[in-house]
Amino acid sequence: MERCSGEVPGGVLVVTNRWRRYAAFYAGSGGWVLLAIFVAVLELGLVVPVPVLIRTLFDDAIRNRRIDRIVEIVIVLGVLRLLSTASSLLLRKLSLDTTKLAIQRMRRALLEKLYGVPYAWLQRSDPAALHTTIVQETERVDVMSNALVALLIPSALTTGALAAILLWVSPPLFLIVATSAPVLYAVHRLLAGRMRDLTDRFRRAFERFSSGVLFALRTMDLARASAAERGEMARQDGAMSALRETSGRMAWLQSAYGAIQTLVVSLVMLVVLAAGGVMVSRGQSSLGDLASFYVAAVLFAGAMNTFWSALPTVFAGNRSLGNIDDFLQLSLHPPYSGRERFNFRGGVRMANVRFGYDDISLLDGIDLDIGPGDFVALHGPNGAGKTTIVHLLLGWQRPDSGNLLADNRPYEAILLNDLLSRIGLLPQDPVIFAGTVSENVAYGRADVLDGAVVKALETVGGEDLLARLPAGVATLIGNEGHTLSGGERQRIGLARALIHQPALLILDEPTNHLDTGEFVATLRNIRNASPQMSVLIVSHDQPVIEEADTVYMLEGGALSRRLTSRRAISSTGEHTVALAR
């Protein structure tokens, strides 16, 4: 997946549009955002009186020994501090509520985009990179958004207000404080670019580590069977070392960035204290002025430190926002976008369909016709394009030319989900996920009861599986069904394809993990249970093929139609058609 380079023509416009699109995720939360801004201004208003009160405390109450006035000012300062803390917590709560909702919407948009991308694009993409975008990148944007609302913006407002107060209290001392600005900016310019580079390196290292972990989880049995654990660990060590190095350097640079900024401000504060002391000793300023200025300067320094320390988080989040926006703005569209609703009855047709990859023709002028209730087999050598035909019928891919029709309706016009909800698919390797047998069989069907799951398993010959499950269909079967045999996994996949009583059942090499004779018996049982259901079976097994009424032979990109002995005898009286494997 392409990444945001950060260096593009019209960069300001790109960033502006990116943030405008991000702001759209806050739709409906404008009132809360305005309230958060109001609270931030309120918190600022609670800070402004503090230096004035300090000056009054020293120059009036303490000098004139007015105990009641001292107590009164201290109480007011305490109340202001209490209210400031309360407003800060409220601001944090408001920012969390609004940004978390926006991030949830962003994550939903990313998943919706992922479900809508073309099948071929998804097959070419790196799952680890997509996982990082949806999980880690959105988390960084979340942290950035909270830092903006709760830290960066309030600290910027506070810094500006306190700068005005410092100038009002003592212009000479303010000039000393102002000298820190160019130094702080120089540090920022020196380290900010390096931090962005390290953020990108960290992201790539994290993707590599994530990809390695996903690979290790998927190939655990292979590694053990091949005694390859040590070699695999050595391979993973490289990814972990790169992640450790880049994450450590990034964290250290962020710490150094904050530490240098704090050091500069602290040194300036010491100079202010020394210069102010000299001014008081010479009678050029009162002790109240110095105390007031110093308190305001401390608050100013704290706001500045907060501002600068939040910047690395904003940099990292902005980088992640760029990557997320790049993905969301990819011009990728599903193969079909029709909206016509219909109740699919099981008839599909391919008319003069051509399809290929990278200018290499795979299917050339394919004509395939499956009527409601038909039982059709698709036969041909490996690599001929049989699974591609299945993908085209499912609408996962679009042909280069030709037409596909469902119940004589063109795929371009129909709502594809209506079609897919009435198709049952058993792929060559059915997906089995960590969960119960019932959850696996009823996946995508929230209204299916356990009784229906049991019935579906019995229909596909799963009685032995049901008998050995300690908790019945509520038994947990482990990640990828590791507690099951290959045949049991296949039966669960077949029961899943049947659970919603499809109008069309597609079986892609269903005997990969099942005995051919047992599967033929299962197939007959399925046909007897649902005689009105259309069936397309992709297989190399002669006994399975002979169960069909019609066989299509795919070879050299062309499709030829033949009748089996079942159809030939029942409809035309012709002799049995011999089919080569």
Side-chain angles (χ1 to χ4, degrees):
M1 192 172 75
E2 293 185 4
R3 293 293 168 204
C4 175
S5 66
E7 301 294 334
V8 294
V12 174
L13 181 61
V14 170
V15 172
T16 301
N17 289 334
R18 175 193 307 163
W19 278 86
R20 176 178 53 79
R21 287 188 289 266
Y22 175 51
F25 291 112
Y26 288 84
S29 301
W32 294 108
V33 173
L34 290 175
L35 181 58
I37 294 173
F38 172 77
V39 172
V41 174
L42 176 63
E43 185 177 1
L44 173 61
L46 295 171
V47 172
V48 170
V50 172
V52 178
L53 290 170
I54 293 296
R55 172 192 273 179
T56 303
L57 177 66
F58 278 87
D59 287 348
D60 179 21
I62 295 178
R63 174 179 291 179
N64 298 319
R65 299 179 181 180
R66 295 179 57 185
I67 305 302
D68 57 334
R69 185 66 170 155
I70 294 173
V71 173
E72 179 183 315
I73 293 175
V74 170
I75 290 175
V76 172
L77 288 171
V79 171
L80 288 175
R81 181 60 183 169
L82 179 63
L83 292 175
S84 178
T85 300
S87 62
S88 177
L89 290 174
L90 179 58
L91 177 61
R92 180 65 171 161
K93 179 67 167 59
L94 291 171
S95 67
L96 286 172
D97 287 346
T98 53
T99 58
K100 294 295 183 183
L101 179 58
I103 295 301
Q104 178 184 339
R105 291 169 176 167
M106 173 183 281
R107 286 168 175 159
R108 180 179 178 82
L110 286 167
L111 285 175
E112 286 179 345
K113 180 77 173 185
L114 196 60
Y115 279 119
V117 299
Y119 176 81
W121 184 91
L122 194 60
Q123 293 300 104
R124 294 193 301 267
S125 299
D126 180 7
L130 293 172
H131 177 270
T132 298
T133 298
I134 296 173
V135 177
Q136 190 189 21
E137 301 276 37
T138 56
E139 182 62 22
R140 283 187 186 167
V141 173
D142 186 5
V143 174
M144 174 197 70
S145 302
N146 278 287
L148 272 173
V149 177
L151 298 176
L152 196 69
I153 294 176
S155 64
L157 293 174
T158 302
T159 299
L162 288 171
I165 292 174
L166 291 173
L167 179 60
W168 172 68
V169 173
S170 176
L173 294 180
F174 173 77
L175 290 177
I176 296 175
V177 173
T179 59
S180 65
V183 178
L184 293 173
Y185 181 72
V187 173
H188 167 71
R189 291 284 296 174
L190 179 65
L191 299 181
R194 183 60 179 157
M195 287 170 57
R196 284 192 292 267
D197 292 340
L198 277 176
T199 298
D200 286 342
R201 289 180 59 187
F202 169 75
R203 190 192 189 288
R204 290 192 293 269
F206 188 89
E207 281 184 8
R208 182 184 170 196
F209 170 68
S210 178
S211 180
V213 171
L214 290 174
F215 179 83
L217 290 172
R218 291 170 181 164
T219 60
M220 193 67 67
D221 289 349
L222 175 63
R224 289 172 174 171
S226 306
E229 297 97 330
R230 186 169 298 177
E232 184 60 32
M233 281 301 303
R235 193 161 71 94
Q236 299 297 337
D237 277 340
M240 289 187 286
S241 295
L243 181 60
R244 171 188 57 79
E245 179 187 355
T246 55
S247 62
R249 292 178 66 183
M250 185 175 70
W252 183 88
L253 190 60
Q254 288 178 343
S255 299
Y257 181 92
I260 293 173
Q261 301 285 2
T262 302
L263 176 62
V264 172
V265 173
S266 299
L267 292 176
V268 170
M269 292 297 296
L270 290 176
V271 175
V272 165
L273 189 60
V278 171
M279 291 173 63
V280 171
S281 65
R282 291 178 176 177
Q284 298 172 337
S285 177
S286 69
L287 185 60
D289 287 337
L290 176 59
S292 175
F293 189 92
Y294 191 79
V295 168
V298 168
L299 294 174
F300 177 84
M304 287 285 288
N305 285 335
T306 300
F307 179 86
W308 292 112
S309 63
L311 278 182
T313 301
V314 174
F315 290 151
N318 184 58
R319 207 70 165 178
S320 294
L321 181 61
N323 293 327
I324 291 170
D325 190 62
D326 284 348
F327 176 60
L328 289 175
Q329 296 307 309
L330 284 175
S331 183
L332 298 171
H333 305 287
Y336 300 100
S337 56
R339 288 292 179 265
E340 181 184 341
R341 306 298 300 264
F342 78 114
N343 185 25
F344 179 56
R345 296 184 298 108
V348 291
R349 183 155 61 91
M350 304 177 72
N352 196 28
V353 166
R354 287 177 169 80
F355 183 82
Y357 296 99
D358 301 324
D359 298 327
I360 299 175
S361 179
L362 183 62
L363 303 177
D364 187 13
I366 297 297
D367 291 304
L368 172 67
D369 193 0
I370 304 173
D374 284 355
F375 187 4
V376 175
L378 181 59
H379 182 52
N382 289 331
K386 301 185 300 297
T387 298
T388 298
I389 287 179
V390 171
H391 290 170
L392 289 169
L393 290 174
L394 293 170
W396 292 357
Q397 293 175 290
R398 190 184 181 101
D400 299 328
S401 63
N403 297 304
L404 279 91
L405 299 101
D407 291 344
N408 294 319
R409 292 174 173 84
Y411 273 40
E412 289 87 352
I414 64 174
L415 183 64
L416 193 62
N417 276 351
D418 277 4
L419 173 66
L420 295 178
S421 68
R422 297 282 289 146
I423 294 178
L425 171 67
L426 176 67
Q428 294 185 26
D429 294 302
V431 174
I432 305 295
F433 54 85
T436 67
V437 172
S438 181
E439 288 169 342
N440 272 271
V441 172
Y443 176 76
R445 308 284 167 177
D447 56 340
V448 172
L449 301 177
D450 286 352
V453 172
V454 171
K455 183 177 180 181
L457 286 170
E458 290 174 343
T459 301
V460 301
E463 293 87 352
D464 291 343
L465 170 62
L466 288 168
R468 78 172 188 84
L469 294 174
V473 292
T475 302
L476 293 168
I477 55 178
N479 188 36
E480 298 188 6
H482 285 164
T483 62
L484 305 173
S485 68
E488 289 171 336
R489 288 163 49 89
Q490 202 79 348
R491 292 191 191 280
I492 286 177
L494 185 52
R496 178 192 296 156
L498 291 172
I499 194 69
H500 63 288
Q501 300 177 336
L504 170 63
L505 178 65
I506 299 178
L507 309 174
D508 192 359
E509 298 293 354
T511 56
N512 276 353
H513 302 288
L514 291 173
D515 175 77
T516 300
E518 288 183 356
F519 179 74
V520 168
T522 297
L523 192 56
R524 291 173 179 172
N525 191 35
I526 292 171
R527 292 288 290 159
N528 290 332
S530 304
Q532 77 288 350
M533 179 176 61
S534 306
V535 178
L536 170 62
I537 186 167
V538 179
S539 180
H540 289 87
D541 287 342
Q542 190 72 24
V544 174
I545 292 172
E546 290 176 349
E547 289 297 309
D549 299 320
T550 305
V551 174
Y552 285 88
M553 180 69 182
L554 180 62
E555 193 167 15
L559 199 63
S560 58
R561 181 175 180 271
R562 303 178 182 179
L563 301 179
T564 64
S565 57
R566 180 189 302 274
R567 173 63 65 86
I569 293 174
S570 63
S571 62
T572 66
E574 296 177 3
H575 295 293
T576 300
V577 179
L579 293 173
R581 285 183 178 270

